[in-house]
Structures are given as C-alpha cells and as structure tokens.
C-alpha cells in the first residue's frame, strides 16, 4: 500500500471560523453579535475560506520540491536521442584503388518552404575497396560438401560458359563468389553477359533468387538487397548488390569472403534449366554503406576564461547535447604557462578529488560545471576536483546537437549531400531512420523514478537487463532469458551468461516483413556497448533477434443469405485486419501490447477472433499453416502451436473466403 502522506495543517473551513469566534472576546470584547448575519462574521467566513484554500495548497507537494527530490536521488531528464540510419553512398565511377569516405560527412533531407533540412552525420570511416575475385563455384545443396564445382573465369567468353546452378536447378542450389578481401557494407555492381537459357522462364519481378553474404558460424548467411536488370540472368545487364557485414570462411578448400546467389522455392514458373554466363563477368565497387546519426558536430567552441575559483559554471552555445564520445568529446584547458590539459566528464563529484581534471555537463541546457570545494569543520577546504588556473582558456573540442522524433525520416528521404565531392555521385537511405526520441519530460521522469531506483545504473537481474536494453534507441521489445529458457542452439545457459532477445523497431509494425525483424550490426553493437558498461564484471552478454514463427490462416466464413456483396467484402477486410493485429509481435496478443515471448498460439483463439466479427453467421473451416519465408512449402500447424521462450508469432499472409450461408 502507498505510504500515507501527513497533512501539514488539517484544519477545515468550519474549524477556522470556530477558532476565530473563540478569539473575539479576547481581542475585541465589545463585539458581542456573533451571528452569521453580522458583517464581521461574514468577513471571518470569507477569510476562513481563503485560508482553507492556502492550507490545501500547502498540503500538496510543490512541483519544484518534487523535482529537487528527484535531483537528490540522482535523477536527470534524459536528453533527446538521435535517430540512426545506414546511408549508402554511390561513387561517380568505380575506383581502381581504395577510396575512403571519412567520418563526419553530412547528408540531409530536402529543404522545403515549410520544413528545414534534417542533417545526418556519418559516424565512421568507410573504405571502399576494388573487388578481387579468387574463384567462383556452383554448389548442389543436396550433395553437401561434395557438391562444389569450380569455374575458371579466365576461360569465360573464349572457351566455355559458366553454368550458374546445377541442372536441373533445385531450391537451395547456389552460385558462390569468393573474394580476396573484406567488402563489408559495399555496394557491388555485377556486370553479367548472360546466355538466354531455353525455358529458364524467370522475370525480374518474380526472380526466385536471393543474394546472401557469409557472416560466420553464428549468423551464417545473411540476405542482401538487390536491384536486377538481367531479368534473373536471362539477358545482359547488371545486378546491384548491397552487402551487409562479412566474415571470412572456408568453403571448398578456399579461405575467402563469400557471396552467394541461392535459388529459392517459389510458386509459378521458375528455372527449368540453369541460366549461364556466356561472355563476361565483371565485379565493381559502386559505393558503400555507413551508419549515420541525426546530429551536427560543433568543434573547438571557446567557453571562456577561468577565474581560478572552484565551482565555476560555463554554458555551451548550443543545446540540448547528444551522448558524448570520451575519445573525441572533451574539455580542453589551455593554461597560461603550462601544457594543454584534457579534462573528462563525470556524472557527479562524489568520488573525485583534487587531482582529478573533471567536470559535469548538463545535456539539457548545456551547462558545464567545474568541481566545487567545501569548507570542513576543522577549517580546511576539501576540493572535489582540480581548478583551472586563473586566465586558462576553456575550449570544448567537440560535441553533437540534434536528435528528436523529427529525425525518424522514411526510406529514401535523405538524398542531399551538404558538401559536393567529385567522387561521390549521390547518397540515399534504403532503410528508415529509427531511434529518435524527444527529451524526457518531468511527468515521465516521475513515473520512471521508482524503476530507476530499483535497477539503479547496474544490470544484475533479468528485469535490469530488459530495462536497460529498452533504453537503447531502435529497440522495440526485449526479453532476457533465464536458465532453462535458452534458444535451441545455445545449449544450457550457465551462470554468468546473459541471452538478450531483442525485437527491433520497424517502420511498418502493422505488417512487418521478415527482413525487418533481423538485427542490424549497428543496433547489436549499440546494445552490447550499453549493457557492457552496466553489467557486473565477468558477465557475458549475447544479443539475438527473436525466432519468429510465421503463421498463415486460411478460413472459410459464412454470412447470412441476403447479405449484400459490400457486407461480404467488409467481413473479409475486418477478418484480415483482426488476424494481422492479433498475430503481431509489436501490437498483438490479448492485451494488444505485442505477442508475449513464449506464449503458445491456439486454434480456438483464431475461431473466437473470427466469430466475434459482425455479420459472421458461422465458420465453415479454419486452417493454420507455418510458413518459412522464401519457401513455398508450408506445413500444417497443430491446434496448439508451441512457442519457445525466445520466440514470437507473426502473421505471414492470410486467405479469407467469405460466402453466403446457402452457397
């Protein structure tokens, strides 16, 4: 139960009036008429009413006091968070030598009359390397390690062609390219001289292929996005492949960085015979992708000169300020007669001393505070940090401003380079920017104060790890697995191991696509960095995306005999909407807060969901199927679909057929 709050003064209106009447004989004996009709008593009642209003206010905790209490507990309002997005830079021409796009390149959205440009800044160098192909292989999936067939690129076009897939092609067969060097996050252009294979029959919009890059034994083959002008290897053209991170691996006796084109199982007409490369095969680096943040860098800002006293305060010209990098964002103190000093930021001065060159920085208003000094009972002065000598120039080397929900821009909106470059032709974002949040409000801080006190700044319990993971921009949901709840391929969770299952934020949570539910390397790295700074020594953290069970529902619904066709269409639309909303990892489940991790799905729930739709007279049949994205084969789902503790269910594609009861 809540702690009862005592009243500072519990007197009410009538108590004040009665007390005033008792004091009248003492202060004014000649006043003898104490009836309510007396003008003096009317004034007493008026002032009693005003006093009661003041006492009511006094019994409430003032907002300022509440904020001061939060500050004493170490609570600070979170500053805005910057959206992050992978930016893809396209070169004006393929380079024959390595080319580096240095950190700090800025790109922006298009500025209009009503909206300003939203600027993003790259966070790392991007080195684009000319590709060197060691060899290419055709692999028959059904033969495993024995299914590799090498090809000689030197003989292509003169003596022989290259058959990309074994004949007859089967789902899982692949064409592999072994690269000599790492091409992580590159945009590769594959120029292909193709032979039209009789009966290949694939067109661009229905190409049953998927380019994938090798990312090691854990992630294995990761899909790449692609643009194809060859109509699925059926004509001369090029394929533009945007690669994720790559790792070296050994296949067919080659240690290399691997890219493969895998055949998918697909309905309709696919490859009857394998397509071939007949004349040429060239690979070029067309650009690359690097992570960027909605931020603007401010460098070498002079704050002022020190007067030599403790506890000085300075203010940066711009605020609010985004999270700092200790290696690049710090205070530089240029002393009059000594070397330049680099000062570091601390959260507070509780554990600092005279020899510490430290300061605190309020991210909200940009106030920089130097360490104070306190007079001790014995007359000495205790310094909580060093004091810059008088006349020292304080210069902040670098900080970032920006952030907020305005940075969550859609796909393709970042397409303007703020500075021209003869090498870079264009820039764009093939994914939406996510993770931007506005500054925290006082009301939000009040609500979260209790949780912050329980979790503190450390991650110890499963709830702590989930709470801190949710603080990372781009995380929609998080689940910390306890012993006995491990993923199938993780073995037994031992003491000191933490498995975090993370569902990333997506642009379209109503109907998420399979490729959207994978964790980007940038988000995984951000989560690990955030948790490693807060977990206890010796704890190993592993971050994974949830295992998603894709469910397709096929139902036959019946409506009354005299139903209008509009009613049938409305029933079909509502049935599909209810299914997509219920089987949703972001907004689904009974509580509509996302399908719970580990909660099983029952066929009876689907029956009940469809039966509640108005105008549905009865349900003829309902069938659930489990779908593997990219494959056409499905398997019937049992009446109870068992969901592991690291798994979620999600709608794939539902088929609802609505007819009249007599049909």
């Amino acid at each position: 139960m809540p702690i009862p709050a005592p009243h500072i003064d519990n007197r009410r209106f009538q108590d004040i009036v009665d007390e005033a009447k008792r004091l009248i004989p003492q202060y004014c004996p000649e006043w003898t008429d104490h009836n309510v009709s007396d003008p003096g008593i009317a004034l007493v009642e008026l002032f009693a009413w005003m006093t009661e209003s003041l006492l009511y206010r006094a019994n409430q905790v003032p907002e300022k006091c509440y904020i001061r209490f939060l500050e004493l507990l170490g609570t600070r309002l979170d500053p805005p968070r910057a959206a992050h997005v992978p930016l893809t830079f396209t070169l004006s021409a393929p380079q024959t030598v390595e080319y580096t796009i240095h950190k700090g390149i800025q790109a922006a959205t298009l500025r209009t009359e009503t909206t300003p440009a939203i600027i993003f800044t790259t966070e790392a160098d991007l080195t684009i390397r000319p590709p060197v192909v060691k060899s290419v292989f055709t692999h028959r999936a059904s033969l495993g390690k024995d299914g590799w067939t090498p090809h000689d690129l030197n003989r292509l076009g003169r003596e022989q062609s290259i058959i990309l897939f074994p004949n007859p092609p089967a789902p899982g067969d692949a064409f592999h390219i072994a690269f000599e060097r790492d091409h992580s996050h590159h945009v590769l252009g594959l120029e292909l001289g193709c032979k039209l294979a009789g009966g290949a029959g694939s067109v661009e919009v229905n190409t049953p292929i998927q380019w994938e890059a090798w990312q090691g034994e854990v992630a294995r083959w990761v899909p790449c996005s692609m643009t194809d002008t060859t109509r699925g290897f059926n004509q001369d053209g090029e394929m533009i492949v945007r690669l994720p991170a790559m790792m070296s691996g050994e296949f067919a006796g080659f240690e290399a960085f691997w890219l493969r084109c895998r055949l998918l199982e697909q309905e309709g007409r696919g490859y009857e015979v394998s397509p071939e490369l007949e004349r040429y095969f060239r690979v070029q680096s067309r650009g690359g992708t690097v992570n960027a943040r909605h931020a603007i860098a401010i460098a070498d800002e002079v704050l002022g000169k020190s007067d030599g006293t403790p506890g000085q305060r300075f203010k940066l010209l711009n605020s609010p300020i985004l999270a700092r990098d200790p290696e690049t964002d710090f205070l530089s103190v240029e002393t009059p007669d000594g070397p330049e000093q680099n000062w570091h930021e601390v959260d507070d001065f509780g554990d600092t001393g005279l020899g510490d060159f430290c300061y605190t920085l309020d991210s909200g208003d940009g106030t920089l505070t130097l360490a104070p000094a306190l007079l001790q009972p014995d007359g000495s002065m205790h310094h909580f940090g060093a004091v810059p000598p008088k006349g020292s120039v304080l210069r902040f080397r670098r900080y970032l401003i920006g952030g907020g929900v305005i940075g969550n821009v859609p796909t393709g909106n970042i397409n303007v380079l703020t500075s021209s470059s003869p090498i870079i032709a264009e820039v764009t974002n093939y994914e939406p920017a996510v993770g931007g949040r506005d500054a925290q409000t006082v009301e939000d801080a009040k609500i979260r104060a209790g949780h912050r006190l329980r979790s503190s700044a450390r991650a110890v319990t499963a709830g702590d790890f989930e709470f801190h993971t949710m603080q990372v921009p781009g995380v929609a949901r998080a689940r910390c697995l306890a012993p006995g709840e491990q993923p199938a391929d993780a073995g037994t969770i031992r003491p000191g191991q933490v498995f975090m299952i993370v569902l990333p934020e997506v642009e379209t949570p109503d109907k998420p696509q399979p490729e959207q539910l994978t964790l980007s390397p940038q988000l995984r790295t951000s989560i690990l960095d955030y948790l490693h700074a807060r977990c206890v020594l010796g704890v190993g953290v592993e971050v994974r995306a949830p295992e998603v069970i894709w469910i397709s529902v096929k139902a036959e619904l019946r409506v009354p005999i005299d139903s209008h066709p509009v009613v049938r269409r409305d029933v079909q639309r509502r049935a599909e909407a209810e299914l997509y909303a219920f089987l949703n990892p972001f907004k689904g489940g009974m509580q509509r807060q996302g399908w719970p991790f580990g909660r099983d799905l029952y066929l009876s729930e689907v029956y009940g969901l469809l039966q509640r739709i108005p105008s549905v007279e009865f349900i003829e049949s309902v069938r659930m199927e489990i779908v593997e994205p990219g494959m056409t084969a499905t398997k019937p789902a049992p009446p109870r679909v068992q969901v592991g503790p690291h798994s979620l269910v999600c709608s794939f594609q539902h088929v609802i057929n609505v007819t009249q009861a007599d049909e």
Side-chain angles (χ1 to χ4, degrees), residues 269-285:
R269 188 182 181 191
Y271 291 121
E272 298 175 3
V273 296
S274 172
E276 298 180 27
L277 298 181
E278 190 176 39
R279 290 179 297 282
Y280 55 85
F281 173 76
R282 293 188 290 267
V283 184
Q284 299 174 332
S285 290

Side-chain angles (χ1 to χ4, degrees), residues 33 274 297 299 363 410 414 553 559 577 629:
D33 187 2
S274 172
S363 300
I414 307 172
V553 175
V559 295

Side-chain angles (χ1 to χ4, degrees), residues 1-10 12 58-61:
M1 61 176 293
I3 301 174
H7 290 287
I8 299 174
D9 194 326
N10 60 359
R12 298 294 184 261
N59 283 322
Q60 310 302 309
V61 177

Side-chain angles (χ1 to χ4, degrees), residues 76 298 300-307 309-322 324 328-334 341-349 356-372 386-388 392-399:
R76 292 185 179 181
I298 308 296
D300 292 329
E301 182 176 305
V302 177
L303 304 184
K305 289 187 176 181
S306 170
D307 59 10
T309 61
Q312 299 175 70
R313 292 193 174 192
F314 301 87
K315 196 163 186 177
L316 298 176
L317 296 178
N318 304 278
S319 63
I321 303 168
L322 301 178
R324 271 77 69 191
T328 59
D329 305 345
F330 56 84
L331 178 68
S332 173
V333 177
E334 303 169 6
Q341 302 168 348
N342 293 334
W343 289 46
H344 64 278
E345 181 182 353
V346 295
D347 293 331
D348 55 65
F349 299 112
D356 294 319
F357 298 113
C358 58
Y359 60 91
T360 63
L361 180 59
D362 190 318
S363 300
D365 62 5
T367 300
L368 184 144
T369 305
L370 302 181
V387 179
S392 300
V393 177
L394 278 66
R395 185 190 306 272
F396 212 92
R397 285 303 181 189
R398 179 180 176 272
Y399 64 94

